[in-house]
Amino acid sequence: MADELKSMIVQEKANMAQPAARSPQGAGLFPALLVVLAFVLIAVFATRELSSIDVGYHLRAGQDFLSGGGWPTQDNYTYTCRDTPFMNSWWGYQVSVALAFRAAGTAGVVLYHEMLLIATFLLTWRTAIVAGADRASLPLLMVTGVIACEMRFEARPEVLSLLFLAAELFILTRRAEGKRAPLWLLPLIMVLWVNCHSFFIIGLGVLGVFLIIGIASRGRLGAVDSALLKWTAASIVVCVINPYGAKGLLAPLELLSRFDQSNIFAQSIGEFISPFTMRTTPQMPFFPHWPIYCFRILAVLSVLSWIPLWRMRRYRDIALSALFLLLSANMLRNMPLFVVAVLPGLASAYRLHERLTTRGNCGRILEGGGLAICSLLAIALALRVIHNAYYIDDRRAQRFGLGWSRLEQPVDAANFMKLANLPGSLFNHLNFGHYLTGAGCGPVFIDGRLELIGEAFYKEYLGILNDPGKFASAVAKYGFHSVVLPHAIAPTLLTYLLNSTSWRLAYVDHLAAIFVKNSPDAAKFVDPKLTAILSEHPSAPPFNQLPGLGGRPRRSGLSHWLHGTLHALDYPREEYSRALFHFIRGDLPTAERLFARVIDRTDGAYYELYLNLGSVLWRQNRRDEARACYRIALEDDPNNALAQKRIGDPSFN
C-alpha cells in the first residue's frame, strides 16, 4: 500500500514538472496566483461566525455520545416528538465536531470546517489536473466555484459530504485516465460517509455513473472494469455498517419528497429554493447575488461544455454534469455538490490557454491581463469578506470571525433563560431550537430536524406562528408557559403577545423576545433590565441633519464599495432590530430615533433604513418628512411598491 501511494505521488510530481510548450518567461505567474487566491478565498469565507441553526444540536448530540449516550432510536431533545422513532445518521460528524469544540471551543469548530473545505477543493483541483485541465480556465473556474459554494460554508455535516465526494471523484478520475488508483479506499470512504451524512447515496450514484459510462465507452456489455465493479459492490455492502443497518442505508429515500416544489418544506425553507428561481421580492428585497450568479454562470457553462466533452469522449463528465445540475437546480443547498462534481470537466472542456496562445503575443497578453484583473478582484473580494462588506451588501447576518453569531443565535436569550429558570414547557421558533438544545435550555417545542418533525407537525407549527387563534389552541394542547422568538421575523405572534393580557414580556434583546404566562408570580421571571429597555430615549440627530435629508451627502456607489473594501464596515444590526421591536410595539418616537441613529452611523448607505423611518413618520402623520424618506428609498430601489404607493397616495398632495 505504501509503495502504491508513493508511486502515485512520484507520477503526479512528474506531470507537474513538465514545462509548458513555448510559454514566455513568467507566463505561469497569474494562473498560479489565482489558484492560490482561490484557496485564500476558501479560508476567508470559511472563517465565519457560527450562524447555522443546526450547529447547536450537532454539538449537543456529539457531546452526549462522547459521554456514553450511544445511538438514539427515539428523539430526546423535543417534548413534542419525544416518542417519535429517530435515526441519527450524523453521529460520526457530531462526534468530530464535539471533539473540535472540546479542543478549542467555537474557534475549533470554525477552523475544523475550514480545514475540511480546503481539503475538498485541494482534491478537486488535483482531480482537474489529472483530467487534463486547461491552465487558464482552471483558476478562473476555481474562483467562480468557490464563490458559488460559499453560502454553504457553514458548520454542517454536508461539509464532510463534499470532502468524501471530492475524494471519490479523485480516485475514480485517476482510474478513468489510466493512472494508478487505490480503489480499495472507496469502501472506506463510503463506510465513513454513511455514518456522517445522508448524502452518501450520492456517492453510490457516482460509482454507478463511472461503471455504466465505462461499459458504454467500450461499446459492449461485457467490457466491464472488473476491479471497479468489485470495489463498487464492496462500497454498497459496507453501507449497512451503521447503527441502524439496512434502515440506515434506505433512510435517504425519505428525503426525495423534498424535491417536489409542492412540499411544505420546499415552499417555506430557504435552502430548498431553486437557485434559478431565486429573486428579490417585496418580502425578500435582498439575496446573495455573488454566489447565485456565479452558480448560474457555471450551470450555463456546464451545459455548453457537453459539445466539446462529447467530442473528447468525456462521457463521464457529461453524465456528472447532468446529474448534479438536476440536483442543484431544485435546491440551492446542493450547489457545492455541483461545483465539486463538474469543475474538473469544465476546466478540461474550455481550452482557454490553448486558444489564446495560438494568437501569439496578443493572445498571451489577453490571457495574462484577464487573469491579473481576476486576481485583483479576488483580493478585493477577500478584503470585503474580512471587513464584512460582502455580507452586509446583501444584508446577510454572516460575519467574519471565530465565535457564535449573536445576530443569528439566541446566545443572550439562552443565558437569561438558564438564569431565570423559566417554569414549564417552552414554545420556540424553529430557528432557535437547535441552539437552545445545545445551550441546555431544552427540551424544546421544535427544531430543524425535518425528517423528525414531519410535514403535518410543521404545518401545525406554521399555523401557531402566524394565527393567534391557533396559538391559543396550541397553549391548551401543549401547555407551554413561555415563548421565545426572533421578533424581527415573527411580527404576527409578537404583536399578539405584546397586546395579550395572558402573556407578559419578560426579556428582549436585539434578536429575541421572551414571554411568560401571566400569573401572580410572573414578575420574578422578568429581566431587571427590561424597564430601562422599554423606556429608553436614545439621542438622535435632527431629521434635517441626516444624510440625504439636509445633512451631508449619502455614501453610495463607488465610494461605498471602496469604503467597504478598505475599512471594516458597520451595520448597526442591534440598534436596527431594537428599532423594529419598538415599531411593532407602537413606541414610534423611540423607533424613529433609533432608525435615525442607524442612518447617521452608516452615512445613509442603506435605503431600507429610510424606508422604515418613512413608515414610522407615516404613522405619526408627518407626511412631508415621510415622503422625503420614501424618495431616497426609490433612488436605490425604483420598484419598491410601498414607497411608490405612499408617494402616489393623494393624501400626500
Side-chain angles (χ1 to χ4, degrees):
M1 176 169 49
D3 292 339
E4 185 177 18
L5 290 174
K6 183 177 179 180
S7 175
M8 288 171 54
I9 294 171
V10 170
Q11 187 179 36
E12 288 300 313
K13 288 183 176 179
N15 292 338
M16 294 174 65
Q18 293 178 0
R22 294 191 302 174
S23 294
Q25 186 176 6
L29 172 63
F30 289 121
L33 175 61
L34 197 52
V35 169
V36 170
L37 288 173
F39 284 95
V40 170
L41 280 175
I42 295 169
V44 169
F45 275 126
T47 308
R48 180 181 296 179
E49 292 179 343
L50 296 176
S51 60
S52 167
I53 66 170
D54 301 328
V55 66
Y57 159 70
H58 290 307
L59 277 172
R60 173 66 182 274
Q63 291 165 347
D64 287 350
F65 184 90
L66 292 174
S67 300
W71 296 292
T73 56
Q74 292 183 324
D75 177 50
N76 297 321
Y77 301 118
T78 68
Y79 64 85
T80 48
C81 302
R82 185 176 294 278
D83 297 327
T84 304
F86 175 65
M87 291 188 297
N88 184 2
S89 59
W90 314 288
W91 74 270
Y93 164 80
Q94 292 165 347
V95 169
S96 68
V97 171
L99 290 172
F101 186 79
R102 282 188 179 184
T106 56
V109 175
V110 173
L111 295 175
Y112 169 63
H113 289 84
E114 183 175 320
M115 177 191 69
L116 294 177
L117 289 164
I118 290 174
T120 296
F121 278 89
L122 183 60
L123 281 168
T124 302
W125 174 67
R126 291 304 308 150
T127 302
I129 296 296
V130 169
D134 178 75
R135 55 180 284 179
S137 300
L138 178 57
L140 293 171
L141 292 168
M142 280 283 293
V143 171
T144 307
V146 168
I147 298 171
C149 293
E150 64 83 7
M151 287 176 63
R152 307 298 293 180
F153 282 9
E154 300 274 5
R156 298 172 178 267
E158 68 192 61
V159 174
L160 269 177
S161 279
L162 292 177
L163 177 60
F164 293 142
L165 175 62
E168 182 184 56
L169 287 170
F170 177 66
I171 295 169
L172 293 173
T173 300
R174 287 189 61 87
R175 182 73 176 184
E177 293 294 327
K179 301 180 184 295
R180 293 174 64 85
L183 297 179
W184 56 268
L185 284 174
L186 294 174
L188 179 59
I189 291 171
M190 292 309 305
V191 78
L192 291 172
W193 202 342
V194 74
N195 286 284
C196 290
H197 195 221
S198 57
F199 277 8
F200 75 88
I201 197 72
I202 294 174
L204 297 179
V206 169
L207 287 171
V209 166
F210 274 80
L211 266 178
I212 294 170
I213 295 300
I215 295 173
S217 62
R218 291 176 175 85
R220 61 185 191 279
L221 185 61
V224 64
D225 184 337
S226 58
L228 181 57
L229 178 62
K230 177 182 69 174
W231 289 110
T232 297
S235 298
I236 297 172
V237 171
V238 299
C239 286
V240 300
I241 305 177
N242 69 81
Y244 310 101
K247 290 183 179 180
L249 175 61
L250 299 175
L253 299 179
E254 298 178 9
L255 305 177
L256 294 178
S257 63
R258 300 182 197 171
F259 286 89
D260 185 355
Q261 292 303 308
S262 63
N263 181 276
I264 185 65
F265 295 137
Q267 292 175 348
S268 59
I269 296 180
E271 66 183 35
F272 296 145
I273 297 175
S274 167
F276 291 110
T277 60
M278 195 175 190
R279 61 186 184 277
T280 58
T281 65
Q283 292 74 32
M284 190 178 69
F286 307 100
F287 74 91
H289 293 81
W290 279 80
I292 295 298
Y293 290 143
C294 283
F295 167 77
R296 291 175 182 176
I297 290 171
L298 291 176
V300 172
L301 290 176
S302 177
V303 174
L304 295 177
S305 73
W306 294 353
I307 296 175
L309 287 173
W310 183 270
R311 292 171 180 166
M312 298 165 64
R313 298 186 178 182
R314 298 283 292 273
Y315 308 123
R316 68 175 187 271
D317 290 316
I318 298 174
L320 290 172
S321 173
L323 172 63
F324 284 90
L325 186 59
L326 176 64
L327 290 172
S328 58
N330 283 278
M331 296 182 186
L332 62 82
R333 67 171 293 176
N334 295 332
M335 294 193 306
L337 294 171
F338 168 81
V339 171
V340 170
V342 307
L343 193 145
L346 284 179
S348 302
Y350 293 102
R351 316 300 298 178
L352 182 62
H353 174 71
E354 293 179 5
R355 292 177 181 177
L356 287 175
T357 52
T358 57
R359 300 183 180 183
N361 289 332
C362 181
R364 295 189 184 97
I365 292 172
L366 287 174
E367 178 187 359
L371 291 169
I373 291 172
C374 290
S375 298
L376 290 174
L377 289 175
I379 293 171
L381 186 61
L383 289 173
R384 292 182 65 75
V385 174
I386 293 171
H387 292 152
N388 289 318
Y390 176 86
Y391 303 120
I392 291 174
D393 278 354
D394 289 332
R395 310 308 190 268
R396 293 164 62 181
Q398 287 86 5
R399 294 293 184 268
F400 183 81
L402 298 172
W404 287 109
S405 170
R406 280 179 158 76
L407 299 180
E408 289 285 289
Q409 308 283 15
V411 178
D412 303 318
N415 290 336
F416 167 78
M417 292 171 66
K418 289 188 289 185
L419 290 173
N421 193 23
L422 299 181
S425 54
L426 166 76
F427 176 80
N428 63 281
H429 194 278
L430 182 147
N431 289 4
F432 287 174
H434 282 323
Y435 183 85
L436 296 176
T437 293
C441 299
V444 297
F445 180 84
I446 190 172
D447 60 27
R449 291 172 291 163
L450 306 183
E451 62 286 333
L452 169 70
I453 63 179
E455 296 179 19
F457 183 66
Y458 184 66
K459 289 179 181 178
E460 181 182 3
Y461 159 75
L462 291 180
I464 295 170
L465 203 62
N466 297 297
D467 185 334
K470 292 181 179 179
F471 174 82
S473 300
V475 174
K477 178 179 179 181
Y478 295 104
F480 41 81
H481 289 76
S482 55
V483 176
V484 56
L485 68 161
H487 46 74
I489 60 175
T492 301
L493 183 54
L494 176 65
T495 302
Y496 168 75
L497 293 172
L498 285 170
N499 293 289
S500 172
T501 56
S502 300
W503 293 88
R504 179 168 181 173
L505 181 66
Y507 173 89
V508 67
D509 60 29
H510 64 281
L511 177 63
I514 298 175
F515 293 83
V516 294
K517 210 165 187 180
N518 217 346
S519 64
D521 62 345
K524 69 180 183 180
F525 302 112
V526 176
D527 181 12
K529 301 176 184 177
L530 182 62
T531 301
I533 293 173
L534 297 181
S535 60
E536 66 176 322
H537 295 287
S539 60
F543 181 85
N544 60 4
Q545 293 182 15
L546 293 176
L549 294 171
R552 62 190 183 279
R554 295 176 60 209
R555 190 180 72 228
S556 60
L558 181 60
S559 66
H560 176 65
W561 192 90
L562 290 174
H563 182 81
T565 304
L566 301 175
H567 304 90
L569 208 58
D570 177 32
Y571 188 97
R573 185 75 175 261
E574 295 191 8
E575 281 190 318
Y576 175 68
S577 297
R578 288 196 349 256
L580 287 176
F581 173 77
H582 287 297
F583 179 68
I584 292 170
R585 65 185 287 261
D587 185 354
L588 300 181
T590 301
E592 176 192 345
R593 285 190 289 270
L594 286 171
F595 280 131
R597 283 179 54 155
V598 176
I599 289 172
D600 185 62
R601 285 181 58 184
T602 57
D603 293 324
Y606 308 108
Y607 78 84
E608 71 274 13
L609 301 177
Y610 291 92
L611 192 69
N612 290 332
L613 179 58
S615 296
V616 174
L617 297 171
W618 167 269
R619 284 199 183 180
Q620 296 180 83
N621 204 30
R622 294 160 61 181
R623 300 178 178 180
D624 291 338
E625 293 170 313
R627 178 166 51 191
C629 291
Y630 287 131
R631 283 178 172 167
I632 288 181
L634 289 174
E635 291 176 4
D636 291 357
D637 185 18
N639 297 318
N640 188 279
L642 177 62
Q644 288 179 336
K645 176 182 178 182
R646 291 193 170 170
I647 284 184
D649 193 303
S651 62
F652 273 99
N653 300 321

